[in-house]
């Protein structure tokens, strides 16, 4: 190769920026790409509309909170706090955590902003991401989003039933078949007696040796958690364990019966699940989870109450859950306040919607596309685009393209009904072409009358 070429190559190389090292996203984290957003919009719209109808008002809380907030509320022994929290010390030496769940932050806000002075209950809707340093697996991410409702200040079982009903309607209206699992874990008083019975049960005749290692440790600290262990051998034992509903005090039993009566009245199917306890310290009385219904996988038949009680595979696939937390507000420094709430995992809901292939309206589709040929036409049509958009028309464009062919291709992709075409000739004549994208028929119309012509055609098409 001649010397001078070599030198030129080297010069060009020096001018070109070097390709940098690629940094990928963090493990267990997920991007939401534009094609997926139609699912998010659907789910968030449903959650927002439904919650609004039941009197819930939206609240947001910061992503970062003091680590202590979660240690106090969720409980140091809970999996969330002990194993799964993203926490760190910031530049001031303060211990900080990325929120692993929504409820503690919402309760903190309730106390901090004096919401106990408002008419009670305070009903709050919350949508946002939470963070858990969990083992990443299918459908589970380290950052995921939740739809939460919290009803703070209402002791009546109506509040519990209302939450369960809303969760049920949410899934039904998204065409997902679910079965609500429900249990009562009583109050501090009646649970004390039950825990003694439970410990006695597990200590009997070598049952302890059959437990998984985690449960052996839990037996001393938090025996209730043995009931919802995911290990098979522990689940078998839990099936024979004494049931907490048999140990409820009178108040707790009456509360639970009332909740079930309301659900019966509303025709909301549920499965009484004696091993459901939820993994957080703050729950009392009603606890519930929403599981995908078993019958759903059988040729899309609607779930009948019996078949749907059985689900596969079990609780790690819960789509959401919640319960009553009457002690939490006071425990976190507020007044004595009854409360209940739920959280639903948005990614899991979206996964289910995708599995069912529910057809969704493509929100990116427009009604009218504006095409141009030549510089003068381009400038004129950019102005027209803005006028049509402001008038409320669903307009689309590809102004960076010059050829009519590629613009019509783009228009087809966007599914528009009509394309307006403005060329040099039309600019001179004060006209514009309207092309019906289905028939391909083009009409010349007066440029000044374009708005009326479009409205007439779009109205007819409805
Ligand atoms: Zn009780
Ligand atoms: Zn276990």
């Amino acid at each position: 190769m001649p010397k001078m070429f070599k030198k030129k190559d080297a010069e060009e190389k020096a001018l070109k920026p070097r390709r940098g090292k690629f940094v990928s996203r963090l493990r267990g984290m997920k991007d939401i790409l534009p094609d997926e957003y139609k699912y998010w919009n659907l789910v968030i719209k449903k959650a927002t509309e439904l919650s609004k109808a039941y009197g819930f008002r939206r609240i947001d809380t910061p992503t970062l909170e003091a680590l202590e907030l979660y240690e106090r509320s969720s409980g140091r022994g809970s999996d969330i706090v002990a194993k799964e929290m993203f926490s760190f010390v910031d530049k001031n030496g303060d211990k900080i955590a990325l929120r692993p769940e929504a409820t503690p932050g919402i309760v903190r806000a309730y106390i901090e902003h004096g919401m106990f002075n408002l008419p009670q209950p305070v009903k709050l809707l919350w949508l946002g991401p939470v963070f858990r340093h969990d083992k990443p697996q299918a459908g589970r991410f380290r950052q995921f989003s939740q739809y939460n409702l919290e009803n703070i200040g209402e002791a009546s079982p109506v509040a519990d039933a209302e939450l369960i009903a809303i969760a049920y309607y949410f899934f039904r209206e998204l065409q997902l078949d679910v079965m609500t699992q429900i249990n009562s874990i009583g109050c501090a008083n009646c649970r004390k007696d039950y825990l003694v019975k439970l410990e006695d049960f597990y200590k009997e005749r070598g049952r302890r040796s059959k437990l998984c290692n985690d449960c052996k440790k839990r037996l001393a600290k938090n025996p209730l958690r043995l009931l919802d262990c995911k290990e098979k051998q522990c689940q078998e034992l839990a099936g024979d364990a004494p049931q907490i509903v048999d140990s409820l005090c009178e108040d707790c039993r009456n509360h639970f019966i009332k909740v079930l009566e309301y659900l019966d009245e509303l025709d909301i199917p549920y499965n009484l699940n004696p091993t459901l306890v939820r993994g957080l310290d703050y729950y009392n009385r009603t606890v519930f989870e929403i599981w995908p219904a078993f019958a759903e996988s059988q040729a899309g038949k609607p779930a009948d109450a019996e078949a749907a009680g059985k689900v596969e595979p079990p609780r790690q696939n819960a789509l959401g859950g919640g319960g009553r937390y009457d002690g939490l507000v006071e425990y976190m420094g507020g007044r004595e306040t009854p409360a209940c709430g739920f959280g639903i995992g948005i990614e899991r809901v979206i996964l289910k919607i995708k599995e069912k292939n529910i057809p969704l309206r493509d929100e990116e589709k427009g009604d009218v596309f504006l095409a141009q040929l030549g510089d003068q036409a381009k400038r004129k049509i950019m102005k027209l685009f803005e006028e049509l958009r402001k008038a409320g028309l669903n307009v689309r464009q590809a102004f960076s393209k010059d050829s009519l062919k590629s613009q019509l291709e783009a228009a087809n992709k966007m599914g528009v009904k009509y394309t307006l075409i403005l060329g040099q000739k039309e600019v001179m004549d004060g006209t514009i072409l309207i092309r019906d994208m289905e028939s391909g028929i083009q009409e010349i119309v007066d440029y000044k009358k374009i708005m009326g012509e479009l409205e007439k055609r779009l109205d007819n098409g409805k």
Side-chain angles (χ1 to χ4, degrees):
M1 198 183 283
K3 228 180 182 177
M4 57 177 288
F5 279 122
K6 259 191 186 165
K7 199 181 163 209
K8 203 182 162 217
D9 274 1
E11 270 170 7
E12 265 175 13
K13 241 184 201 165
L15 285 172
K16 239 175 100 183
R18 218 186 285 155
R19 175 183 282 186
K21 179 178 171 282
F22 174 69
V23 181
S24 69
R25 66 183 194 268
L26 292 172
R27 189 159 179 251
M29 301 289 187
K30 193 175 170 277
D31 298 307
I32 305 168
L33 301 178
D35 278 348
E36 217 187 320
Y37 242 95
K38 57 176 182 274
Y39 297 101
W40 286 80
N41 290 339
L42 173 81
V43 170
I44 288 167
K45 187 166 174 251
K46 177 56 69 192
T48 314
E49 284 174 1
L50 194 54
S51 311
K52 206 166 128 193
Y54 281 88
F56 289 81
R57 298 172 69 211
R58 183 138 183 203
I59 186 172
D60 271 327
T61 56
T63 315
L64 293 174
E65 299 264 10
L67 173 64
E68 196 187 354
L69 181 78
Y70 301 109
E71 287 180 341
R72 283 189 65 80
S73 57
S74 314
R76 280 196 174 86
S78 67
D79 283 354
I80 288 183
V81 170
K83 296 182 199 160
E84 298 167 1
M85 201 143 53
F86 279 91
S87 58
F88 60 96
V89 177
D90 76 0
K91 286 175 180 165
N92 297 331
D94 294 326
K95 287 182 185 165
I96 307 284
L98 278 170
R99 62 179 173 227
E101 54 157 341
T103 307
I106 298 170
V107 169
R108 177 202 49 70
Y110 173 88
I111 301 167
E112 200 162 335
H113 299 283
M115 287 190 234
F116 41 82
N117 290 320
L118 300 172
Q120 303 293 300
V122 174
K123 296 166 93 175
L124 301 168
L125 155 69
W126 187 100
L127 289 156
V130 296
F131 303 82
R132 291 185 197 166
H133 202 277
D134 203 356
K135 268 182 232 135
Q137 37 184 302
R140 295 187 79 157
F141 301 99
R142 287 179 171 171
Q143 175 180 337
F144 58 98
S145 292
Q146 281 198 334
Y147 155 37
N148 272 71
L149 290 186
E150 313 289 349
N151 183 330
I152 307 179
E154 181 59 75
S156 162
V158 170
D160 314 39
E162 184 182 85
L163 285 174
I164 294 168
I166 294 171
Y168 176 73
Y169 300 145
F170 173 75
F171 287 106
R172 285 316 302 239
E173 287 169 25
L174 290 171
Q175 302 176 52
L176 300 175
D177 294 318
V178 293
M179 177 47 78
T180 303
Q181 309 290 317
I182 184 169
N183 194 19
S184 172
I185 55 169
C187 62
N189 289 331
C190 53
R191 206 179 312 149
K192 227 184 284 163
D193 300 337
Y194 174 68
L195 291 179
V196 174
K197 281 187 212 168
L198 194 63
E199 274 175 70
D200 288 348
F201 167 80
Y202 278 109
K203 280 172 186 163
E204 224 175 275
R205 289 196 309 274
R207 284 200 181 103
R208 194 180 179 279
S209 59
K210 285 188 198 155
L211 293 169
C212 75
N213 286 334
D214 280 344
C215 281
K216 278 176 190 150
K217 282 179 224 153
R218 284 182 193 134
L219 189 54
K221 279 190 293 188
N222 192 356
L224 213 52
R225 293 302 314 279
L226 268 64
L227 296 175
D228 76 343
C229 178
K230 284 153 192 150
E231 298 296 328
K232 203 173 165 236
Q233 73 267 31
C234 301
Q235 282 187 4
E236 274 169 19
L237 280 177
D240 296 330
Q243 300 192 356
I244 192 162
V245 281
D246 297 327
S247 299
L248 295 180
C249 68
E250 207 187 328
D251 284 350
C252 286
R253 187 179 306 122
N254 287 339
H255 185 96
F256 193 42
I257 289 169
K258 275 268 158 37
V259 174
L260 300 181
E261 280 173 0
Y262 290 128
L263 294 178
D264 289 339
E265 192 64 40
L266 293 168
D267 282 326
I268 289 169
Y270 56 83
N271 179 46
L272 289 173
N273 186 332
T275 65
L276 187 79
V277 296
R278 305 283 292 153
L280 297 163
D281 285 1
Y282 52 66
Y283 283 116
N284 70 309
R285 291 194 172 165
T286 320
V287 288
F288 61 94
E289 281 186 358
I290 317 292
W291 294 4
F294 178 60
E296 190 192 311
S297 55
Q298 299 174 333
K301 268 185 245 158
D304 75 76
E306 260 192 38
K310 301 173 214 137
V311 291
E312 44 81 56
R315 57 179 47 120
Q316 46 267 64
N317 283 347
L319 296 166
R324 186 158 274 285
Y325 52 91
D326 292 331
L328 186 61
V329 178
E330 192 183 9
Y331 186 69
M332 287 174 62
R335 297 175 191 170
E336 192 183 338
T337 312
C340 50
F342 73 60
I344 288 173
I346 296 181
E347 283 84 354
R348 290 190 192 183
V349 175
I350 288 174
L351 204 65
K352 283 282 155 203
I353 295 173
K354 284 182 180 168
E355 272 173 29
K356 281 201 81 176
N357 273 325
I358 297 164
L360 292 184
R361 202 172 67 89
D362 195 340
E363 288 153 349
E364 283 163 29
K365 288 212 154 93
D367 291 328
V368 183
F369 186 93
L370 272 59
Q372 34 71 38
L373 278 166
D375 196 45
Q376 210 184 345
K378 189 179 300 220
R379 272 181 273 143
K380 202 169 171 189
I381 213 161
M382 283 168 88
K383 214 171 145 195
L384 177 65
F385 180 87
E386 207 38 36
E387 282 164 23
L388 296 179
R389 189 187 68 78
K390 276 187 190 145
L393 286 171
N394 201 359
V395 282
R396 297 291 180 267
Q397 50 90 356
F399 294 148
S400 62
K401 294 191 194 312
D402 291 325
S403 90
L404 186 60
K405 187 169 170 267
S406 58
Q407 290 183 71
L408 289 177
E409 275 169 13
N412 266 326
K413 228 181 235 170
M414 294 173 193
V416 298
K417 298 181 191 87
Y418 301 99
T419 295
L420 303 180
I421 303 168
L422 190 69
Q424 201 61 34
K425 185 178 181 303
E426 287 76 25
V427 174
M428 305 293 274
D429 297 350
T431 58
I432 193 163
L433 294 175
I434 299 186
R435 181 188 175 98
D436 183 316
M437 294 302 280
E438 212 177 284
S439 65
I441 294 169
Q442 297 188 166
E443 261 180 82
I444 302 169
V445 298
D446 187 341
Y447 188 84
K448 289 194 193 80
K449 291 179 182 157
I450 190 64
M451 186 77 83
E453 290 289 333
L454 277 176
E455 278 170 353
K456 197 172 70 194
R457 284 172 171 79
L458 288 169
D459 277 350
N460 283 343
K462 266 174 197 163

